[in-house]
Amino acid sequence: MHTFYRIGWRGKATRHIISIGDFDRRQIDRLLDNAKRIDAQKFDKNALFGKILATLFFEPSTRTRMSFEAAMARLGGTSLSVGSVEACSMAKGETLADTVRVVSGYADAIVIRHPKEGAARLAAQFATVPVINAGDGAGQHPSQTLLDLYTIRQSMKLDEINVALVGDLRYGRTAHSLASALSLYGANLHTVSPKGLELPASLLAELTGKGMRVTDYNSIGDAIPEVDVIYVTRIQRERFPDSASYFDVTSSYRITPETLANAREHAIVLHPLPRVDEIDPRVDSLPHAKYFNQSRNGVPVRMAMLQQVMQ
Ligand code: CP
């Protein structure tokens, strides 16, 4: 357990969610159960009445930011936003540490997305309200992982499943968080990535050290018949050192109805979105396609998270 606590100015212990490693399996299961109850409309619509969420997004976002704000609204609370570095006093040279100290005085929790790995953990050291990591560079994206697990659980049990991670596994933070979480459930991992974009060696060592079986494939066609979940990720263009190396790998994998012809009948295709061209739009109408359900699931899962950190 890496969850850390500090005493905020209200004299209460502050709980942050920085990494999926902040949860053990029992805590994840409990949060997903709460999300399911919320999804079934069994929740108090004023649970967070009078509470304020600050969303600090220093990288683009549609789903994470809007679903956190929607989650807050559905629980009776309100949100404040800073749209970009340019739109706040960080453009004048204010540090992230000072920014979160100040924002802690305006809000009851902070959701932060930042291009630098480790930024959310740094923010948590200076905030006096709970901080939720909404993506830190190529690091972690724990709320995405929780909604990914929730979506898988809608189709199958989480225990001992076979999951293909496809795409940019080097820079894709959603793949990193999900792989760590799946290690708690005895999953087997099947990786398919362009050369140079494999899972970081340190993460691979951590996963195998926990007893996870990880099989690497050269071709997506070889992995598909073996798995229950096909988790596709975008090439993270913004994290490439130069555009030439990006264009070298862009068309190296793509999910189409033809590639899914050999998929198990119950297999599901997930993608954290946004997609660029990794999934052919013709896949959208196949029963395997669950990525739009997945983005919708962001709301109940984030409602459960906000209740956990703010109540
Ligand atoms: N999945 C995800 O993080 O999407 P956004 O970048 O739109 O928030």
Side-chain angles (χ1 to χ4, degrees):
M1 282 283 289
H2 305 296
T3 304
F4 56 100
Y5 297 87
R6 67 200 299 268
I7 303 302
W9 66 271
R10 293 179 180 88
K12 284 170 66 179
T14 300
R15 173 147 199 216
H16 308 289
I17 299 176
I18 306 303
S19 157
I20 198 66
D22 292 340
F23 293 85
D24 60 25
R25 181 183 162 148
R26 189 182 49 86
Q27 291 168 324
I28 291 177
D29 289 339
R30 200 168 52 205
L31 191 138
L32 300 186
D33 289 344
N34 287 341
K36 190 173 176 188
R37 272 191 288 277
I38 289 168
D39 225 353
Q41 300 301 312
K42 292 182 188 147
F43 66 95
D44 175 2
K45 293 184 174 50
N46 288 312
L48 296 184
F49 178 77
K51 302 276 189 192
I52 299 173
L53 176 70
T55 56
L56 305 183
F57 275 66
F58 302 121
E59 269 192 342
S61 169
T62 298
R63 278 147 290 276
T64 311
R65 178 170 160 179
M66 293 189 74
S67 61
F68 265 117
E69 291 176 356
M72 198 60 192
R74 294 216 182 276
L75 290 167
T78 52
S79 304
L80 305 172
S81 274
V82 161
S84 64
V85 172
E86 293 72 33
C88 73
S89 287
M90 284 174 75
K92 302 176 206 164
E94 187 165 42
T95 62
L96 180 63
D98 280 359
T99 302
V100 297
R101 274 187 181 121
V102 169
V103 173
S104 294
Y106 304 152
D108 299 286
I110 297 171
V111 175
I112 182 167
R113 172 171 289 187
H114 197 283
K116 286 215 169 75
E117 197 169 330
R121 195 166 291 283
L122 178 96
Q125 281 163 10
F126 291 93
T128 53
V129 296
V131 171
I132 300 176
N133 182 6
D136 60 327
Q140 284 267 321
H141 194 346
S143 66
Q144 178 70 46
T145 299
L146 291 166
L147 74 91
D148 294 342
L149 296 175
Y150 183 78
T151 309
I152 297 171
R153 220 177 69 160
Q154 286 179 321
S155 296
M156 65 194 81
K157 284 190 173 159
L158 285 173
D159 301 273
E160 295 174 20
I161 53 175
N162 283 279
V163 178
L165 293 183
V166 181
D168 182 350
L169 308 185
R170 177 177 176 185
Y171 297 115
R173 56 195 173 203
T174 62
H176 300 166
S177 295
L178 182 60
S180 296
L182 288 169
S183 72
L184 301 173
Y185 292 89
N188 298 311
L189 219 54
H190 303 255
T191 57
V192 191
S193 53
K195 195 164 165 31
L197 297 183
E198 297 89 358
L199 277 183
S202 56
L203 177 59
L204 191 58
E206 185 189 314
L207 297 172
T208 52
K210 288 179 183 163
M212 193 177 212
R213 217 170 63 204
V214 183
T215 312
D216 195 40
Y217 294 79
N218 290 324
S219 143
I220 198 160
D222 292 340
I224 279 179
E226 307 296 325
V227 300
D228 307 298
V229 177
I230 303 155
Y231 191 89
V232 188
T233 62
R234 175 179 67 89
I235 302 289
Q236 305 278 304
R237 181 178 190 167
E238 63 276 27
R239 305 199 201 291
F240 268 63
D242 60 81
S243 53
S245 50
Y246 168 76
F247 286 115
D248 280 349
V249 297
T250 44
S251 57
S252 48
Y253 65 94
R254 182 171 160 85
I255 304 291
T256 65
E258 291 73 32
T259 54
L260 290 173
N262 293 325
R264 295 175 177 180
E265 196 179 335
H266 68 269
I268 60 171
V269 178
L270 301 182
H271 191 309
L273 304 179
R275 70 174 150 180
V276 183
D277 55 7
E278 313 80 55
I279 301 181
D280 186 321
R282 290 179 300 147
V283 173
D284 298 358
S285 56
L286 299 181
H288 300 298
K290 298 292 180 196
Y291 29 91
F292 290 114
N293 305 55
Q294 185 185 358
S295 61
R296 193 204 68 83
N297 287 338
V299 177
V301 169
R302 290 178 171 125
M303 286 169 76
M305 293 177 75
L306 291 173
Q307 283 195 281
Q308 178 174 309
V309 299
M310 276 201 258
Q311 279 190 320

